[in-house]
Amino acid sequence: MVFIPTFFFVSITPGMCMTLALSLGMTVGVRRTLWMMLGELVGVGVVACLAVLGVAAIMLQYPLLFQGLKYAGGLYLAWLGIQLWRSKGKLALSPVDAGPRHIPIKTLISQGFITAIANPKGWAFFVALLPPFIDQGAPLLGQLAILVSMILVLEFSCLLLYASGGRTLSRVLQQKNKVQLMNRLAGTLMLGVALWLALG
């Protein structure tokens, strides 16, 4: 109940992957942009799995360090939430340039994958947010499958929204007040999760 809306608002906030989906949706069309989404989702799945496995290894071998990581993650989310509240629409997009319209499928897939893997904020977010959702008394594999599945469904939904939104969505994202509202919703959810971590 907490994870889904938080990750949805984080995903839908303009960033590297969403900007790429918007740009490609406008230039090569939604159907061809699906190839980029395939690569991006594979990349996000890899990052999420590595984050969960890394956190789980720490959790099993160093319980105190796991607690520290959990609180550090909460502090990071609180800081990120405050930054989103103070952003004043800084994530507003500039008009997207109509780039090349004939991009090979392999290039689209690799572009999506590299964008997801090379995004440091994605790594930081997964490491910060996933620990509190791992049940130490339950098998890890089942939890990993559920968490990553939810992440990929939400990520794909947001990518599709950006790619299909085209010019209408780009006009919305060029308005600072619209982006500011989205940032504040995401920021509020992150602050809520940080408080939940502190109390839990």
Side-chain angles (χ1 to χ4, degrees):
M1 295 300 291
V2 177
F3 180 82
I4 292 175
T6 301
F7 192 83
F8 175 77
F9 278 107
V10 169
S11 291
I12 206 167
T13 301
M16 290 171 60
C17 295
M18 297 305 148
T19 304
L20 180 61
L22 175 65
S23 177
L24 289 174
M26 291 174 61
T27 55
V28 302
V30 176
R31 186 173 296 180
R32 287 188 67 81
T33 303
L34 289 172
W35 291 110
M36 182 281 294
M37 294 182 198
L38 174 62
E40 198 269 347
L41 291 172
V42 171
V44 167
V46 169
V47 172
C49 288
L50 290 176
V52 169
L53 292 174
V55 166
I58 293 173
M59 177 182 70
L60 292 173
Q61 295 186 14
Y62 308 101
L64 290 177
L65 182 58
F66 172 72
Q67 290 295 324
L69 182 62
K70 189 173 84 166
Y71 288 120
L75 287 173
Y76 172 76
L77 289 175
W79 177 83
L80 195 57
I82 292 169
Q83 294 304 308
L84 284 169
W85 259 92
R86 297 176 60 193
S87 67
K88 299 179 181 177
K90 287 181 182 177
L91 290 178
L93 300 175
S94 57
V96 180
D97 184 25
R101 295 182 178 274
H102 300 289
I103 304 175
I105 289 174
K106 287 183 179 179
T107 303
L108 289 169
I109 294 173
S110 62
Q111 192 174 19
F113 181 79
I114 292 169
T115 301
I117 291 290
N119 186 357
K121 287 186 178 178
W123 285 94
F125 178 74
F126 284 128
V127 170
L129 187 60
L130 289 176
F133 295 97
I134 297 174
D135 183 357
Q136 301 183 41
L140 178 62
L141 190 59
Q143 296 182 75
L144 181 62
I146 292 170
L147 286 174
V148 173
S149 296
M150 288 193 299
I151 288 168
L152 293 181
V153 168
L154 291 168
E155 185 77 2
F156 177 70
S157 301
C158 294
L159 286 168
L160 198 58
L161 181 62
Y162 270 75
S164 60
R167 297 189 184 278
T168 302
L169 188 57
S170 70
R171 285 197 296 269
V172 170
L173 295 176
Q174 288 167 32
Q175 300 173 25
K176 289 189 175 182
N177 61 329
K178 298 290 195 313
V179 179
Q180 184 178 25
L181 176 61
M182 204 159 37
N183 288 347
R184 288 187 172 181
L185 285 171
T188 300
L189 284 168
M190 287 187 197
L191 288 169
V193 174
L195 180 63
W196 174 60
L197 287 176
L199 297 176

